[in-house]
Amino acid sequence: MNALFLAVIGVAMILGGYLLYSRYLGSRIYKLNASFRTPAHTLEDGVDYAPPTSTCSGCTTSPP
């Protein structure tokens, strides 16, 4: 019972730290912005700069 209680407390602390620290890093350190547009969208020409399609989210080659 004692070890299980400590394990639950430890997992809760790790999850809480992960959630809080990731929010801190995203907002204060990296300054992430949901409206940021990548060069694939701002400079789209259909050849060199092309945003990936939803069917090719993990592709490393450019779309045809």
Side-chain angles (χ1 to χ4, degrees):
M1 173 76 177
N2 209 6
L4 180 63
F5 179 71
L6 289 175
V8 169
I9 295 294
V11 169
M13 289 178 66
I14 288 173
L15 288 175
Y18 172 76
L19 293 173
L20 293 174
Y21 192 59
S22 64
R23 187 173 297 141
Y24 168 77
L25 286 177
S27 65
R28 300 240 171 92
I29 305 298
Y30 294 116
K31 299 189 184 343
L32 299 178
N33 186 356
S35 64
F36 178 75
R37 296 185 49 93
T38 63
H41 290 282
T42 57
L43 302 172
E44 183 177 0
D45 62 358
V47 179
D48 294 327
Y49 293 99
T53 62
S54 61
T55 58
C56 185
S57 62
C59 296
T60 56
T61 59
S62 60

